[in-house]
Amino acid sequence: FQNVSIPISGENFTQVQFSQCEVSPNGNVHVTFMGKSIDDTNDLALWHCSSSNGGDSFDEPQKVTSFRMPRFATGFLTSDTN
């Protein structure tokens, strides 16, 4: 193993979180992550990219689906005990 970071999402994302990595039986490496592309205005998305060379490089991420996270009103999780 080499201790080297391999870029997956590149500079096209303003937010990337919750990545998951799996290796298929044929040795391909698959990565999914939640991200916000610079091209999307409000939506987050689930993205997927893969590598057929053991993780030395990855295909461009492909959007699986878009979604919106709920936003809570200010003070929603606080209570006034006065």
Side-chain angles (χ1 to χ4, degrees):
F1 291 102
Q2 296 178 6
N3 188 13
V4 177
S5 296
I6 304 296
I8 293 175
S9 59
E11 298 177 5
N12 296 328
F13 291 86
T14 60
Q15 182 180 17
V16 173
Q17 294 181 323
F18 309 117
S19 60
Q20 170 103 19
C21 181
E22 297 288 336
V23 180
S24 62
N26 64 359
N28 289 344
V29 181
H30 298 269
V31 176
T32 56
F33 60 91
M34 181 195 80
K36 182 173 173 136
S37 167
I38 59 173
D39 298 330
D40 290 332
T41 55
N42 294 319
D43 293 342
L44 294 167
L46 176 64
W47 296 83
H48 171 266
C49 58
S50 62
S51 170
S52 60
N53 58 13
D56 287 335
S57 63
F58 283 84
D59 298 337
E60 286 293 316
Q62 301 296 312
K63 186 188 293 188
V64 177
T65 189
S66 295
F67 61 93
R68 292 190 181 216
M69 296 291 286
R71 296 185 187 263
F72 297 107
T74 304
F76 179 75
L77 298 177
T78 62
S79 62
D80 188 359
T81 57
N82 293 336

